[in-house]
Amino acid sequence: MTELTRIPAPDGVAPATAYTHVVMGTGRFVAISGQLALDEDGALVGEGDAAAQARQIFENLRRCLAAAGATFDDVVKLTYFVTDMAHMPAVRTARATHIPDDRLPAASAVQVAALVRPEFLMEIEAFAVIGA
């Protein structure tokens, strides 16, 4: 595992409340494509249920990270694409089961008009840095 440095509030920047402004480390870069609320058979999990979709997405992220030899401890950036910002509390709750508040990655949240299929409420991608 690489050693990551987190800078939650760089000089002159307001402190973040649900993410870290800067995360850096050395090692191999891992990019995880945007994950959707699909189970291992490709079936939708949680139609109309943001909490269920967020839980499934974080489980998919965990599995993708593991395939690269990484964990959520190695994540330096998460990007949330949501069809409604009202889904963000569900995303934060699901994230909290995998990432403690003192290890939050950098993050961006973007509201989008639509995702690849209308039943998807969110998509989340991750970037990680792991030891060489």
Side-chain angles (χ1 to χ4, degrees):
M1 183 171 76
T2 186
E3 185 66 32
L4 299 180
T5 301
R6 289 172 173 77
I7 304 171
D11 290 341
V13 177
T17 57
Y19 60 94
T20 299
H21 279 292
V22 179
V23 182
M24 51 189 174
T26 58
R28 290 185 298 133
F29 181 75
V30 177
I32 306 296
S33 292
Q35 296 297 301
L36 298 163
L38 296 173
D39 66 16
E40 60 191 30
D41 297 319
L44 173 67
V45 173
E47 184 163 359
D49 183 343
Q53 288 197 21
R55 285 190 302 270
Q56 181 64 46
I57 289 169
F58 272 91
E59 178 57 22
N60 292 348
L61 288 169
R62 184 194 66 73
R63 290 175 179 171
C64 290
L65 288 163
T71 71
F72 280 104
D73 284 342
D74 302 307
V75 172
V76 296
K77 176 80 167 37
L78 290 170
T79 305
Y80 311 108
F81 302 97
V82 294
T83 57
D84 187 330
M85 281 296 172
H87 301 322
M88 287 306 298
V91 169
R92 286 190 288 275
T93 298
R95 181 193 64 197
T97 65
H98 296 278
I99 304 172
D101 286 347
D102 65 339
R103 300 197 53 83
L104 292 175
S108 298
V110 181
Q111 183 170 327
V112 296
L115 293 166
V116 67
R117 291 190 346 220
E119 62 269 27
F120 294 125
L121 303 177
M122 65 192 70
E123 181 173 337
I124 303 172
E125 66 182 15
F127 300 99
V129 175
I130 58 176

